[in-house]
Amino acid sequence: MLRPWPVSLGDRISRSRDVPMYMQIIQAVIRDIERGRLTSGAYLPSSRELAQILGVNRKTVVLAYEDLIAQGWLDSTGTRGTMVATSLPDPVKRQHAEIEATMSNAAVDYRFAPPPERPLALPSGSGLKLDEGAPDGRLFPAELLARAYRSAAHNASRENGFQYRDPRGSPALRESIATMLKSQRGLPVTAENICITRGSQNGIFLASQVLVSPGDSVIVEALTYEPAVAAFRALGANIVPVDVDEDGINTDAVEYACRRNAVRAVFVTPHHQFPTTVSLRPERRLRLLELARQFGFAIIEDDYDHEFHFESQPLLPMAGYGPGLVIYVGSMSKLLLPALRIGYVAAPPPVIDAIAHMVSLTDGMGNTLTEDAAAELIENGELRRHARKVRQIYAKRRESFAAEIDKTLGDIADYRMPDGGLAFWLRFHDTDLDQMEQRAAAMGLRFASSRSFMTRADAPRGLRIGFASLNPYEARTALAALRKAAG
Amino acid sequence: MLRPWPVSLGDRISRSRDVPMYMQIIQAVIRDIERGRLTSGAYLPSSRELAQILGVNRKTVVLAYEDLIAQGWLDSTGTRGTMVATSLPDPVKRQHAEIEATMSNAAVDYRFAPPPERPLALPSGSGLKLDEGAPDGRLFPAELLARAYRSAAHNASRENGFQYRDPRGSPALRESIATMLKSQRGLPVTAENICITRGSQNGIFLASQVLVSPGDSVIVEALTYEPAVAAFRALGANIVPVDVDEDGINTDAVEYACRRNAVRAVFVTPHHQFPTTVSLRPERRLRLLELARQFGFAIIEDDYDHEFHFESQPLLPMAGYGPGLVIYVGSMSKLLLPALRIGYVAAPPPVIDAIAHMVSLTDGMGNTLTEDAAAELIENGELRRHARKVRQIYAKRRESFAAEIDKTLGDIADYRMPDGGLAFWLRFHDTDLDQMEQRAAAMGLRFASSRSFMTRADAPRGLRIGFASLNPYEARTALAALRKAAG
């Protein structure tokens, strides 16, 4: 009776306690069957022998063999011992690497779409960071959040509310969001017009899923929000970039593009254009709605930071006067916290149902506990109090950030004071931005590349720099570093 | 000076306090401009006149006019009054509905993909429900969850951890999941092989996004998990259903399909086949891996309820011995709670990077707070303790549910006791399932339609009935209702 196995088994068994010993034996046997080291009908050493070879308790080997027999990998032949099940197919002969394949060193044997060279999101990491207009999470009292979660957890537990639920989101939050949109943004909505999403990016993604098929055209501005463009591209959309100026998207260019392409959607951020911060002027809003009616496209209106507007009252969203032409996307990331991933889409009920279907195949539903906690923070007024507090802080930070830019970058860059939102748009006179970005990366200063906003090579390049998440000291340090990178 | 406006403005101003009065005036003016009731150059009533007409404070009207002027909708002509800005385009003449359009009654003017007739998710609602194998959320102590969230919130607050982060997920949770997969599922992984997802459906969705292009073929079983199929379909995949029997997917049928189609992925649930609960036999596992190598497709292995196995040890996942052929998808929904939406994908790092890119365009990243709270529950051992507790409870419920089925449905249905997982697969002898499902719906008894599992009209129909979320009394009531629906 030949018993060539175990070949180097001892080397492959780890003494670490990460993986239980009997499981390692099971794994090793299956892998050796899979790789043809153990073939159908081959005898294994007795449990006593293998235990001795490996220096483990015999019971461990018995347990492993029993499981392998129960699962059909091995056959017990009674007194003659244990053999590889004769039902198993003969392995295909092939070269094997010497090293055991793990998930980390395995060659990938299937084709997949590789990621782009430059990641969409600013990678997390240490060092200085200038974001694109994030809020300062440190200003939100952790205890408030903890209490809202506690109360949501206890309620859900009582009502068996931890199960799979409505893909449109928690009823309480849909109700609260509808009320908020009505009173703060003048939107003619009720809860049935709301689908909760995972942040505004998820809202844009879901809207595009119901609007765009491969080959359809989507209009975006020459400078815009890259993750939105990536979502359209992933659907096989033909991206049509059009000009944007200090009045927002150029509607003549939109009309021109519509005459040449089957445009299904136009993505805009009318309130504070991303990245340039300008507002879309009334005449262009009216024109865009008219074009939507004429060419049958949907306007995806991302109202991403309407909560922060420092001059006069904020402009009301286009969805308010074109409810059948606009899919409205918003988020609580700026007011509450990005980390909670609460966004929403507002649209007529048939569109909400279509979007809810996309939710159920994308991620099933949202995090109910978080949704209920957010609803509680709205209902008990804590979010409103927080908004009042941070609005004052951000208003001051906007002023002092502007002063700091004047001091540090005044000779090499220009900006227009933003009426609202949490970021500045900086245009540089003669600085080579590619060089600057390389130097910044080498210095450990992270910010979104000026290229990330551009959908056309001739778009006016610039940097979008958030001011809200930095206290005055941090702002000074970061801008000084930026200046250094500029050379 | 003609001042025909306001036409019926008083009727359109609501006395409710939902929307502030000055915002209602702003909205009404913009809408009337948009609809051509107010044309470029037309004069508005003085603030005093309008205040009188509407019966509001004059200051409210002044505030609204000021904002409309600042935003460019109106022009102030000094002493002559306020007019609609001459920069606005003349509206296109068209019929207007008498009723003011809201998001709820607006006609949708763009084309969108409508949802299917039968929703993917079992709609939430009142009445009796039989799920497809959900855990009992009431067994998870709400206080444990609340404490984990509190601690995560305070940590994040200290570290400014509420910002946008790595799309692969929280480092702590990726570490914990890798350790768990190594020790409990024998997977050769580290944290760099892990991407956190929003439940296993999101994992399947993301995997399909990197694998499948329009026109590619995806193999699924004749009976399978409908939301996965919907995710492939949404990508324009050609769905190729193949037979499944008591040994799992028929690998001869897979080979046959691969010779006729450009197959890019095969979706399977080898541990407990969804919906039939059978395990994929070793010889078929080896054969499927061999076919993957031969035809270059990826195996999407959904290991959705490996935590619950009541006979012998659970089979180890195929990803353990075919790490370069398999994208492994799992979830904490069964062990922890569905409502938290924590799932994960395990794959080689290049594939994880590609999936992370899809995360950043789908929803940006996960809920960091929830991810950190989940990591804490793993690290402090609470999740392990909970697993031990519920395993005993579910083992008992499985037995008593089987006895209850015997008693209530024994004469009309068959089942095989499931080795693991949280559901039974029921086959009916002569019952007309369409009639039964209609009667159940009329009675207010909700469960997934037998049709929802079928990807082929000739697939053997049945019902998948979860037992874990019901206590013995609830189980008895629900099964009695099911019996009644059967007629």
Side-chain angles (χ1 to χ4, degrees), chain A residues 270-348:
Chain A
H271 194 242
H272 302 132
Q273 204 272 346
F274 191 100
T276 67
T277 81
V278 303
S279 294
L280 184 59
R281 296 278 305 165
E283 55 273 26
R284 298 223 177 146
R285 290 173 179 239
L286 294 178
R287 185 77 194 290
L288 192 57
L289 287 171
E290 200 50 56
L291 291 171
R293 217 173 261 119
Q294 186 180 346
F295 292 101
F297 60 74
I299 298 169
I300 302 176
E301 176 175 37
D302 182 3
D303 201 27
Y304 67 100
D305 63 2
H306 66 81
E307 299 92 344
F308 302 105
H309 199 77
F310 308 106
E311 311 288 338
S312 77
Q313 284 299 314
L315 268 95
L316 298 183
M318 295 171 68
Y321 34 98
L325 301 164
V326 177
I327 296 183
Y328 177 89
V329 175
S331 131
M332 293 180 70
S333 293
K334 301 287 185 280
L335 191 54
L336 188 53
L337 293 163
L340 300 191
R341 311 310 296 134
I342 302 261
Y344 40 87
V345 170

Side-chain angles (χ1 to χ4, degrees), chain A residues 466-483:
Chain A
F467 62 83
S469 62
L470 304 171
N471 65 34
Y473 170 75
E474 292 162 337
R476 205 172 315 128
T477 315
L479 286 176
L482 190 63
R483 172 68 218 217

Side-chain angles (χ1 to χ4, degrees), chain A residues 372-390:
Chain A
D372 286 342
E376 164 132 352
L377 288 169
I378 298 177
E379 289 307 311
N380 66 16
E382 293 292 1
L383 196 63
R384 209 168 40 243
R385 269 188 287 282
H386 175 69
R388 253 202 310 273
K389 181 181 88 177
V390 292

Side-chain angles (χ1 to χ4, degrees), chain B residues 59-60 86 103 110 125 134 174 176 189 205 224 269 275 283 337 343 454 460:
Chain B
K59 276 189 194 152
T60 306
T86 49
M103 281 249 176
Y110 47 86
R174 292 170 69 211
S176 301
V189 291
F205 178 81
T224 189
T269 47
E283 56 273 25
L337 293 164
M454 297 163 64

Side-chain angles (χ1 to χ4, degrees), chain A residues 116-129:
Chain A
E117 269 181 52
R118 182 171 44 70
L120 282 181
L122 202 52
S124 48
S126 54
L128 278 170
K129 180 178 153 191

Side-chain angles (χ1 to χ4, degrees), chain B residues 447-462:
Chain B
F447 53 83
S449 166
S450 58
R451 292 195 179 274
S452 71
F453 311 113
M454 297 163 64
T455 53
R456 239 171 42 193
D458 65 347
R461 285 174 78 171

Side-chain angles (χ1 to χ4, degrees), chain A residues 124-146:
Chain A
S124 48
S126 54
L128 278 170
K129 180 178 153 191
L130 286 161
D131 59 47
E132 298 168 47
D136 190 341
R138 296 166 299 188
L139 299 176
F140 198 92
E143 191 49 31
L144 270 188
L145 200 59

